[in-house]
Amino acid sequence: MLRLAVATNAETLERIRDPLAERGIEAIHLPTTERAQPLSEPLVEERFDAGFVYPSRLMEGGVADALLDVPWVNGREAILRSRNKAGALARLGRAGIPTPESVYVSNPAAESELRAAFERFEPPIVVKPNSTTRGVGIAKAHDLDSFLGLCDYLSVIHDFRVADDRSFLVQEYLPEARDFRAMVIDGEYVGAVERRLPDDDRAAGRWKHNVHRGAVATGVELADEHRRLAEATARELDIDWLGVDVLVAGDRAVVNETNARPTVDAETKYEAGFYDRLAALIRRTVDL
């Protein structure tokens, strides 16, 4: 049986453990944080054949990578390529894949630059840190003063020398857009969920569709053109295991973000053969 080091101990591990075991792959949690690791000793005593996926904290990931010496389903470069939201959107835009209208801001930026960025859009606009996940730090501004105030707060954070990412995105807001997370394995669409806030939350003015912010993910049949959009995104970014966030507003569909460390939902929300494809990807990674 192949042994898979899983660098997370959240929902994903619980959901993939039994289905992968049925396919000859033992998924075992690999703790990489909240520990003191002697660098002259093994990270763990067990032998592993592959890792899934490179740890989100890249410094800890570098130690785990050095001490384990295994191939990863989505290694460090894939994680960075997806996490850099502006970089990913720029790649996709150059490839002709539709994305939201966006401006990349690298702090410190002059107020004239910020005003010019704001004036490219019809308010409200979305302000989004360039490398956070789970909707952390995303805000909406309805006027210039509110936007500049948000930029002030970001500048305070970026003033700390330890801040390794001093950039953010300014994006168009797509009202009433439906929010889909499509999953792609080895270049092929394998299912999708629609993330939607409860009606009471929407009536109260909430608008973020992240599951970690209270939205509910429901399995859906994604339209063929949106499936192809997700597959084209994974091919362009060259990432084997990828969550692709697609916003659909009327006749318009855009790739809003990607996630190379996506949470796995219940198997019933995906296409038949989801775990067969995931197991095949893991085995291919081992054989590379």
Side-chain angles (χ1 to χ4, degrees):
M1 178 174 282
L2 291 181
R3 294 170 59 83
L4 182 69
V6 182
T8 177
N9 197 24
E11 303 99 325
T12 290
L13 177 60
E14 293 302 314
R15 290 169 180 159
I16 69 174
R17 181 181 281 129
D18 289 343
L20 288 182
E22 294 169 3
R23 292 159 175 82
I25 299 171
E26 183 180 11
I28 303 169
H29 177 227
L30 173 73
T32 60
T33 61
E34 299 180 8
R35 59 184 296 174
Q37 173 63 42
L39 297 181
S40 60
E41 298 178 7
L43 189 65
V44 289
E45 295 299 329
E46 299 95 330
R47 174 193 60 81
F48 286 102
D49 299 290
F52 181 90
V53 229
Y54 198 90
S56 60
R57 291 168 63 166
L58 299 180
M59 296 301 102
E60 284 87 337
V63 173
D65 195 25
L67 294 180
L68 278 181
D69 191 26
V70 296
W72 293 86
V73 174
N74 289 5
R76 183 178 186 274
E77 292 305 314
I79 299 299
L80 286 172
R81 203 175 307 128
S82 173
R83 181 177 294 180
N84 183 343
K85 294 179 174 63
L89 292 176
R91 286 174 180 265
L92 298 177
R94 290 192 64 181
I97 295 172
T99 62
E101 178 68 22
S102 305
V103 174
Y104 171 70
V105 179
S106 176
N107 259 340
E111 183 172 312
S112 59
E113 293 278 341
L114 297 174
R115 285 176 175 268
F118 181 85
E119 289 169 358
R120 292 178 63 94
F121 301 94
E122 183 72 26
I125 54 91
V126 175
V127 178
K128 178 186 298 184
N130 189 41
S131 57
T132 60
T133 60
R134 301 184 174 185
V136 174
I138 299 177
K140 187 165 61 174
H142 291 265
D143 54 66
L144 179 61
D145 282 342
S146 298
F147 170 65
L148 293 176
L150 290 171
C151 295
D152 287 341
Y153 278 114
L154 287 169
S155 293
V156 169
I157 295 170
H158 295 160
D159 276 344
F160 287 96
R161 295 179 64 87
V162 295
D164 60 351
D165 180 9
R166 302 183 182 188
S167 62
F168 61 94
L169 283 165
V170 183
Q171 291 185 314
E172 65 175 313
Y173 175 62
L174 298 177
E176 304 302 322
R178 298 177 68 185
D179 187 319
F180 299 98
R181 161 64 63 83
M183 296 289 282
V184 181
I185 298 178
D186 219 1
E188 187 164 342
Y189 168 86
V190 291
V193 296
E194 180 176 5
R195 301 177 297 189
R196 186 176 177 86
L197 285 167
D199 291 340
D200 289 347
D201 285 348
R202 291 169 59 84
R206 298 190 62 195
W207 56 280
K208 297 181 187 179
H209 293 279
N210 304 81
V211 172
H212 294 89
R213 299 283 178 169
V216 177
T218 304
V220 294
E221 289 287 336
L222 202 60
D224 288 345
E225 61 266 31
H226 302 152
R227 297 184 183 203
R228 292 192 292 270
L229 190 60
E231 291 176 341
T233 296
R235 286 195 302 270
E236 182 60 31
L237 296 182
D238 191 24
I239 300 177
D240 294 328
W241 163 252
L242 189 65
V244 180
D245 295 349
V246 179
L247 298 181
V248 179
D251 295 332
R252 186 181 177 201
V254 297
V255 174
N256 189 44
E257 291 186 17
T258 65
N259 190 334
R261 302 187 84 253
T263 298
V264 176
D265 272 291
E267 183 177 1
T268 54
K269 297 180 182 180
Y270 298 119
E271 303 277 287
F274 172 84
Y275 278 106
D276 291 333
R277 294 187 182 279
L278 179 55
L281 173 59
I282 294 168
R283 293 185 183 280
R284 185 172 67 80
T285 300
V286 173
D287 291 338
L288 288 177

